[in-house]
Amino acid sequence: QVQLVESGGGLVQSGGSLRLSCAVSASFHSFNAMGWYRQAPGMERELVALFTFGGTTNYADSVKGRFTMSRDDAKNTIHLQMSSLKPEDTTVYYCYADRLLSCSGTSQFWGKGTQVTVSS
């Protein structure tokens, strides 16, 4: 079973920065896509940044220019560098990965989440 473990969340002032990390228990070569989602209470989980192994990284419009996703293949770790943080970025951030299934669809994996709180 694939495990994704996030770290790096915390409390930061508006305008500050945080770097989230996600350690993955499997080689990146086994995945189709990896990235970050976030979910506020009572809201649907929304995409923050998603890298597909076709070579593209997509960002939510709300974080473009402020958040940057990167990966360290040697350490099976992905990162989310968050800058110019706003109070509305406050929520739980989840690490995500998926694999293509031989028939159709994907098998999805989620971390347990890490809380980010931005104070005004």
Side-chain angles (χ1 to χ4, degrees):
Q1 181 69 6
V2 174
Q3 292 186 326
L4 287 70
V5 181
E6 302 98 336
S7 61
L11 173 64
V12 64
Q13 289 188 333
S14 181
S17 298
L18 279 176
R19 187 191 195 208
L20 304 184
S21 298
C22 175
V24 184
S25 66
S27 169
F28 285 178
H29 297 293
S30 68
F31 295 113
N32 169 65
M34 303 185 72
W36 296 90
Y37 284 73
R38 64 187 183 185
Q39 186 173 23
M43 304 292 287
E44 291 189 358
R45 195 167 290 189
E46 64 172 355
L47 181 145
V48 176
L50 188 69
F51 172 83
T52 62
F53 283 85
T56 60
T57 302
N58 294 311
Y59 294 93
D61 288 343
S62 58
V63 307
K64 283 181 181 177
R66 300 188 299 123
F67 291 11
T68 302
M69 180 178 161
S70 62
R71 62 186 233 241
D72 184 336
D73 291 24
K75 296 182 178 180
N76 286 355
T77 302
I78 63 172
H79 304 286
L80 184 69
Q81 179 66 47
M82 306 186 294
S83 303
S84 302
L85 282 161
K86 305 175 182 180
E88 52 262 44
D89 295 317
T90 296
T91 189
V92 180
Y93 286 72
Y94 296 91
C95 184
Y96 168 86
D98 67 45
R99 288 172 173 160
L100 294 176
L101 298 175
S102 56
C103 47
S104 64
T106 59
S107 179
Q108 299 179 340
F109 307 95
W110 295 93
K112 293 183 178 180
T114 185
Q115 175 72 42
V116 171
T117 303
V118 184
S119 63
S120 57

